[in-house]
Amino acid sequence: MRDKIVAGNWKMNNTLDEGISLASEISNMVADEVMDDVKVVLCPPFIHLSSVSKIIEGTDKLYLGAQNCNDHTSGAYTGEISVDMLKSVGVQYVIIGHSERREYYGETNEFLMKKVDTALAAGLTPIFCCGESLEIREKGEHFDFVTNQLTESLFHLSADDFGKLVIAYEPIWAIGTGKTASKEQAQEMHEKLRAHIAGKYGEGVAEGISILYGGSCKPSNAAELFAQKDIDGGLIGGASLKSRDFVDIVKSF
Ligand code: PGA
């Protein structure tokens, strides 16, 4: 049985007080309403992590994730945050390779390989993001492009380490646009990714990996996406900022 996971990527939103309120609301709603076996990962901005950690401490479904980490373990990297710092405030997951980091901060497949290694070495679970632009999809190159992102950033890992990852497929044309991939488009890509992983690591590893969908996932479309055979949950941006919407998505399995 693969883990069912819904992760909320708050991005650069909410002051500390707002973040504390949001996390408290989500924590209460999840405790009252979510009976399913699902892991709910909150990924607030760095400076909220310590406070959110205290809110979710002792809950059985909520986990803490960071939106990024540095590829080095410590040193003279002004303004950066290390994996050990994240761990010291209770972080368990870290989003790596989000398309916004790739696009605005120049993060390449090769560079992301280092971040994945650093996160795994610290015992954090990377949520590794992949996904194509509209231009690539329209040229019909999306399967090659996305599988190549996995090959270049992840296929140096041992099968044991690869099995610790969570993958998130996020078509760039669907992120923050309100335009969700159809359940068929998402399932098709997830199936390709799982087959690609199986080709390298075997069926056992591929079948165990949770592959999340991200890109304008909301309460109205989460159930049909999560019902697909190869979709194991979601990485949620905009809708994770509203407790009611986010928890409704969590309840969509
Ligand atoms: P969105 O963002 O749900 O707002 O489209 C998803 C993401 O970027 O992780």
Side-chain angles (χ1 to χ4, degrees):
M1 262 295 268
R2 292 193 285 270
D3 282 343
K4 293 180 198 165
I5 300 171
V6 176
N9 175 10
W10 297 5
K11 307 191 180 181
M12 198 173 74
N13 292 296
N14 285 334
T15 61
L16 181 58
D17 284 349
E18 289 163 351
I20 288 171
S21 301
L22 177 59
S24 305
E25 286 168 26
I26 291 170
S27 178
N28 290 334
M29 286 182 185
V30 167
D32 291 346
E33 302 174 27
V34 179
M35 302 305 142
D36 241 15
D37 201 9
V38 43
K39 293 184 170 173
V40 181
V41 186
L42 302 185
C43 306
F46 287 134
I47 62 160
H48 300 35
L49 285 167
S50 180
S51 304
V52 173
S53 181
K54 293 190 184 86
I55 293 166
I56 68 174
E57 204 179 332
T59 63
D60 67 336
K61 293 191 168 63
L62 289 157
Y63 297 80
L64 192 61
Q67 298 173 20
N68 186 24
C69 65
N70 193 262
D71 56 314
H72 296 93
T73 48
S74 66
Y77 303 101
T78 302
E80 290 295 304
I81 304 287
S82 77
V83 285
D84 285 343
M85 294 174 195
L86 297 177
K87 283 193 68 180
S88 73
V89 295
V91 168
Q92 293 139 306
Y93 290 82
V94 57
I95 298 172
I96 293 182
H98 190 280
S99 61
E100 287 151 17
R101 303 246 17 126
R102 292 174 185 266
E103 187 179 345
Y104 308 137
Y105 303 98
E107 297 190 358
T108 61
N109 291 341
E110 194 189 356
F111 174 64
L112 292 170
M113 182 168 84
K114 290 195 254 168
K115 285 200 183 189
V116 168
D117 288 345
T118 306
L120 282 171
L124 294 175
T125 301
I127 301 176
F128 182 82
C129 300
C130 55
E132 82 288 356
S133 64
L134 188 58
E135 197 188 346
I136 289 169
R137 180 165 278 265
E138 283 173 347
K139 279 197 272 177
E141 292 168 2
H142 44 299
F143 295 128
D144 285 348
F145 183 85
V146 179
T147 52
N148 186 54
Q149 288 181 317
L150 263 57
T151 303
E152 291 193 0
S153 297
L154 305 175
F155 276 14
H156 65 289
L157 295 172
S158 66
D160 195 35
D161 274 346
F162 195 93
K164 296 173 185 161
L165 303 174
V166 173
I167 307 285
Y169 168 58
E170 300 204 299
I172 297 168
W173 46 273
I175 295 177
T177 58
K179 191 173 186 286
T180 319
S182 69
K183 58 184 192 304
E184 292 83 7
Q185 286 172 319
Q187 165 56 25
E188 193 182 25
M189 181 62 84
H190 283 226
E191 196 175 331
K192 290 266 190 242
L193 290 174
R194 207 177 296 286
H196 187 61
I197 295 165
K200 168 80 177 170
Y201 293 104
E203 289 290 337
V205 172
E207 284 303 314
I209 292 275
S210 296
I211 307 181
L212 316 183
Y213 168 78
S216 299
C217 187
K218 40 193 179 247
S220 58
N221 59 29
E224 61 175 24
L225 288 160
F226 295 177
Q228 302 305 304
K229 157 166 102 47
D230 289 294
I231 301 183
D232 306 304
L235 179 54
I236 318 299
S240 74
L241 297 172
K242 295 193 185 113
S243 53
R244 183 70 271 159
D245 284 359
F246 184 62
V247 176
D248 282 347
I249 293 171
V250 172
K251 290 160 71 183
S252 296
F253 288 97

